[in-house]
Amino acid sequence: MKTEDQNNSTSAPTPTDDVDPIGPDRSLLIVDDDGPFLRRLARAMETRGFAVDTAETVSDGIARSRAAPPKYAVVDLRLADGNGLEVIEAIRQNRDDTQIVVLTGYGNIATAVTAVKLGALDYLAKPADADDVFNALTQRKGEKTEVPENPMSADRVRWEHIQRVYEMCERNVSETARRLNMHRRTLQRILAKRAPK
């Protein structure tokens, strides 16, 4: 009987800062235009205890952050209809204690730094792992998330960027080469190779 009581007490801990890093307000807004990634991350964050709301566009993200300003937010910097920085600004206008993490699939450090200046806690390169997102969201002031053991190499970040632009151009090599300011043959060689480690 005693062990049953002990089990019950460990399975339902009283929320404290040490046991419950999320806190009483569990609202999380995730803004990302990559539908499958957005749904996967939303499910993963729900299993970790967040009350998740999602948006796939800048305009939807702004509308949701105004209607119900979240305690937590994960915002992709590059969205189909604009820049995630607009969503961060809208969140900050409505709530100043929101813990914001930005995602960038482009290795665009300058924009990510701007996001941090606007009040984002941290930025993560896509594809971000759910554990990394959770750790970044729940870090305390002054803390920094640990550098991943196996961060993406510069070659891999470049390859990911090229692949994303290629997909955005509906796999049109000429248009992709034009947008990347790259020779068509060079791009074809890169696309023919496997992804770097």
Side-chain angles (χ1 to χ4, degrees):
M1 190 75 164
K2 200 172 186 182
T3 45
E4 206 172 297
D5 288 342
Q6 286 171 343
N7 285 345
N8 287 342
S9 67
T10 54
S11 63
T14 52
T16 65
D17 280 4
D18 294 335
V19 179
D20 183 12
I22 300 172
D25 186 347
R26 298 174 169 275
S27 58
L28 167 63
L29 174 64
I30 305 175
V31 185
D32 199 301
D33 60 359
D34 179 344
F37 173 79
L38 175 65
R39 288 186 287 278
R40 269 195 319 273
L41 184 60
R43 279 195 304 272
M45 292 298 108
E46 280 171 351
T47 63
R48 286 163 174 79
F50 288 101
V52 180
D53 192 10
T54 61
E56 292 193 32
T57 62
V58 169
S59 54
D60 196 18
I62 290 171
R64 287 173 189 273
S65 66
R66 285 184 180 149
K71 171 66 178 164
Y72 299 93
V74 177
V75 181
D76 189 358
L77 287 179
R78 294 295 285 265
L79 297 161
D81 66 333
N83 195 314
L85 292 175
E86 294 175 52
V87 179
I88 294 169
E89 286 171 343
I91 291 169
R92 280 286 168 252
Q93 285 167 9
N94 294 287
R95 187 168 181 168
D96 60 5
D97 68 335
T98 303
Q99 310 252 97
I100 304 170
V101 171
V102 296
L103 301 176
T104 174
Y106 292 87
N108 189 343
I109 301 305
T111 311
V113 168
T114 303
V116 171
K117 284 179 181 170
L118 283 172
L121 271 177
D122 211 342
Y123 58 90
L124 299 171
K126 286 179 78 175
D129 177 86
D131 286 333
D132 292 337
V133 172
F134 179 83
N135 291 336
L137 283 172
T138 57
Q139 69 186 339
R140 290 196 172 92
K141 275 228 184 299
E143 271 184 358
K144 271 288 170 200
T145 50
E146 287 180 24
V147 176
E149 269 184 50
N150 299 314
M152 273 198 285
S153 67
D155 288 340
R156 178 63 189 233
V157 171
R158 178 175 179 256
W159 185 87
E160 294 277 350
H161 175 59
I162 289 168
Q163 291 296 322
R164 181 144 177 169
V165 174
Y166 183 51
E167 291 299 326
M168 284 169 56
C169 295
E170 297 176 351
R171 298 177 161 262
N172 180 318
V173 175
S174 298
E175 178 61 15
T176 305
R178 187 188 69 73
R179 287 196 188 188
L180 292 170
N181 197 20
M182 183 183 283
H183 196 280
R184 193 174 187 278
R185 284 194 190 132
T186 305
L187 176 60
Q188 284 175 315
R189 277 196 299 273
I190 292 167
L191 293 172
K193 290 179 183 174
R194 287 176 168 233
K197 297 280 185 194

